[in-house]
Amino acid sequence: MTSRNLLDALLPLVADLSREIDDRERYRRLLQTMRALFPCDAAALLRLDGDLLVPMAIDGLSGDTLGRRFRVAEHPRFAALLANAAPTRFPADSPLPDPYDGLVDGLNDAHGELEVHDCMGCALTVNGRPWGLVTLDALGAGRFDSVDMASLRAFADLAAATVNVAERIDGLSAAGEQERQRAEAYRLGLEESRGKRELIGQSPAHLQLMQEIRMAAPSDMTVLVTGETGTGKELVAHALHAASPRARKPMISLNCAALPDTLVESELFGHVRGAFSGAVADRRGKFEMADGGTLFLDEVGELPLAVQAKLLRVLQSGQLQRVGSDREHRVDVRLIAATNRDLADEVKQGRFRADFYHRLSVFPIRVPPLRERGRDVLLLAGFFLEENRARLGLSSLRLAADAQRALLDYAWPGNIRELEHLVGRSALRALAGHKTRPSILTLDAQALELHGQDGIAQTANQAATSAPSPAQAVNLRDALARYERELVGESLARNAGNLAAAARELGLDRANLARLAKRLGLK
């Protein structure tokens, strides 16, 4: 490659540095140019986030790669690239596994041609700190023999400048001391929650959710997070806390459905010694533990009416009394609540207090179901694939093309939680089906076994998209109650009345199943 050719290719990218362009488009152009300059089968830009490498943009890799989180310690090639300031190329016979084995687009599944045979990359430094990597991969050995490493270094410098511009533009949108503090609180929140799940997605529905989180997080408003089971409501609550000025303070969580009615009040407000049988010492409740921070009430729709009234008083006055005490305790708590119930309908049915509902829904946030998020299902699948790859000790765990299509076509009545369980179950079963342990394990559509759930998916999708009349809605609720009663009753019968075993079979929390069985009149 001549200096002239390199300059001609880089000039458009240099011009882009002075333009306001969406980050995704800026990074896409960067990788497109890199593939034109250095012919390869795949390229990627990855950001270093603690001990993880997060794909920011890909070109030539399977769609699920964007959802993967690569732990540096588990990928020696990435570790080697980060440790070397100069561009690094790995020999074709390198014993180090390639993180992209099985992930390059257009692989020949039938003939087992899944491995990358030529790989190189370069670390990126922004403002004197390690930022991440650019990587190039080719399926054929010797593809990079003619690559000038000095040219790759020059391109990496431009890539670092591109990242720097993108981050500066993002920083300008959060100008001002208050916004700087919020950004710092968000960073601290992320560091404290390192290793926990994150919100992943690029669909319009997901981006709208993230925008609402950014709007609500800096305030002290009470937030009501609604959405179907398995959509990630708890992750939204954690994101709200991490991006708030309270991020340095604790976030305390309570699952309102996991406690007997008699203990909910004590868990929330605390108790004094002798308040009831078994109260052998004074004990702080969740409100006092969350003082200065955030209290997250999951499944708030399960709270008894009497407790709702006492909660309303605390939210209005900031004062509470421990069970068995007349002494007032003042608390400063930001409340986030979540539910999969339609609380407005619960109010109409007399099962939820109207005043408490309006106090909770100051800033409502709806978490979209997975069926509304398009190709996000592949990104989320990639996240779970990488988790299970590490858990099973594989070099690569990938989806065949027909498996990707099956994931996109399915309606996901159980949402992200169903996807997580499906990936883990399918990987384990597929691995058990091999007589010798493979380094690359491919999941095809048959391994996912989604065909047997089509009827359930279609029913869920129709129920979600239809709008029945009030009379039909009553009939629908009755039909759903009958179906729940039949499903739960059969599971309890199969498990000889063992609640824990039935809960595992149904994918429910044991306490939730106990409440459901009680509501359905099952013993």
Side-chain angles (χ1 to χ4, degrees), residues 165-196:
V165 166
E167 292 193 341
R168 282 180 181 272
I169 292 174
D170 290 343
L172 288 174
S173 64
E177 180 61 20
Q178 187 177 14
E179 284 75 14
R180 187 198 66 76
Q181 291 175 355
R182 290 169 186 164
E184 175 69 5
Y186 181 65
R187 182 186 65 79
L188 289 169
L190 289 180
E191 288 179 354
E192 289 174 3
S193 61
R194 188 79 65 201
K196 294 182 180 179

Side-chain angles (χ1 to χ4, degrees), residues 114 134 225 315 339 347 367:
L114 303 176
V134 286
V225 184
L315 294 178
T339 183
V347 170
V367 185

Side-chain angles (χ1 to χ4, degrees), residues 17-33:
L17 295 178
S18 60
R19 298 180 183 138
E20 288 191 17
I21 304 173
D22 177 74
D23 287 355
R24 288 166 62 186
E25 176 62 17
R26 193 184 297 276
Y27 295 153
R28 186 191 67 80
R29 294 182 186 184
L30 182 75
L31 293 188
Q32 237 179 15
T33 303

Side-chain angles (χ1 to χ4, degrees), residues 81-82 84-88 120-124 132-136 152-153 156-157:
L81 291 173
L82 289 168
N84 193 356
T88 302
M120 63 181 184
C122 188
L124 302 183
L133 299 172
V134 286
T135 61
L136 302 91
L152 180 58
R153 176 70 266 178
D157 290 340

Side-chain angles (χ1 to χ4, degrees), residues 391-447:
R391 187 178 297 125
L392 297 174
L394 299 166
S395 295
S396 178
L397 179 59
R398 62 184 293 270
L399 293 171
D402 64 343
Q404 294 187 35
R405 287 192 297 271
L407 293 180
L408 289 168
D409 291 342
Y410 186 57
W412 300 108
N415 293 293
I416 300 171
R417 186 178 297 131
E418 182 183 6
L419 173 63
E420 177 186 7
H421 294 165
L422 174 75
V423 171
R425 179 174 65 247
S426 301
L428 193 60
R429 286 176 173 170
L431 182 60
H434 286 262
K435 292 182 179 179
T436 58
R437 189 178 188 83
S439 61
I440 300 176
L441 182 62
T442 300
L443 303 181
D444 57 17
Q446 185 176 1

Side-chain angles (χ1 to χ4, degrees), residues 135-425:
T135 61
L136 302 91
D137 288 87
L139 296 176
R143 287 278 297 278
F144 299 144
D145 287 349
S146 60
V147 169
D148 176 23
M149 287 300 190
S151 297
L152 180 58
R153 176 70 266 178
F155 187 89
D157 290 340
L158 180 60
T162 299
V163 167
N164 191 25
V165 166
E167 292 193 341
R168 282 180 181 272
I169 292 174
D170 290 343
L172 288 174
S173 64
E177 180 61 20
Q178 187 177 14
E179 284 75 14
R180 187 198 66 76
Q181 291 175 355
R182 290 169 186 164
E184 175 69 5
Y186 181 65
R187 182 186 65 79
L188 289 169
L190 289 180
E191 288 179 354
E192 289 174 3
S193 61
R194 188 79 65 201
K196 294 182 180 179
R197 297 294 172 82
E198 59 180 294
L199 293 163
I200 294 174
Q202 294 183 344
S203 67
H206 179 78
L207 296 179
Q208 175 63 32
L209 170 65
M210 298 304 293
Q211 176 63 20
E212 291 182 356
I213 290 173
R214 282 191 290 270
M215 284 191 291
S219 76
D220 262 349
M221 287 183 178
T222 301
V223 178
L224 178 62
V225 184
T226 62
E228 297 175 11
T229 297
T231 51
K233 296 185 291 296
E234 185 174 356
L235 287 181
V236 171
H238 279 281
L240 286 164
H241 174 71
S244 76
R246 297 173 179 264
R248 294 174 181 267
K249 298 293 184 177
M251 175 175 172
I252 304 297
S253 301
L254 177 67
N255 187 324
C256 300
L259 292 168
D261 293 353
T262 53
L263 292 182
V264 172
E265 192 174 341
S266 171
E267 282 293 318
L268 285 169
F269 310 127
H271 61 254
V272 296
R273 180 181 177 183
F276 51 83
S277 177
V280 296
D282 289 1
R283 184 175 182 273
R284 292 189 305 160
K286 294 293 192 283
F287 266 98
E288 289 184 74
M289 294 168 65
D291 192 23
T294 303
L295 176 62
F296 173 52
L297 298 182
D298 197 8
E299 301 197 57
V300 71
E302 306 298 329
L303 282 175
L305 289 168
V307 177
Q308 293 176 29
K310 294 183 179 180
L311 260 175
L312 180 63
R313 176 178 176 274
V314 176
L315 294 178
Q316 289 173 338
S317 67
Q319 294 182 325
L320 61 85
Q321 292 178 342
R322 293 181 182 177
V323 177
S325 172
D326 294 328
R327 181 186 169 194
E328 295 280 357
H329 293 264
R330 178 166 288 280
V331 290
D332 172 24
V333 172
R334 197 258 182 99
L335 184 69
I336 301 173
T339 183
N340 58 12
R341 290 180 178 241
D342 181 350
L343 291 189
D345 184 64
E346 293 292 300
V347 170
K348 291 178 183 177
Q349 302 300 322
R351 294 191 289 263
F352 206 84
R353 290 180 62 105
D355 48 5
F356 186 49
Y357 167 64
H358 292 299
R359 187 64 182 80
L360 287 180
S361 57
V362 178
F363 197 111
I365 292 180
R366 174 183 177 268
V367 185
L370 188 52
R371 62 179 171 275
E372 294 180 6
R373 294 180 53 182
R375 296 185 67 83
D376 279 358
V377 66
L378 295 183
L379 276 64
L380 292 160
F383 181 89
F384 298 130
L385 285 165
E386 184 63 19
E387 274 196 340
N388 283 276
R389 180 208 61 77
R391 187 178 297 125
L392 297 174
L394 299 166
S395 295
S396 178
L397 179 59
R398 62 184 293 270
L399 293 171
D402 64 343
Q404 294 187 35
R405 287 192 297 271
L407 293 180
L408 289 168
D409 291 342
Y410 186 57
W412 300 108
N415 293 293
I416 300 171
R417 186 178 297 131
E418 182 183 6
L419 173 63
E420 177 186 7
H421 294 165
L422 174 75
V423 171
R425 179 174 65 247

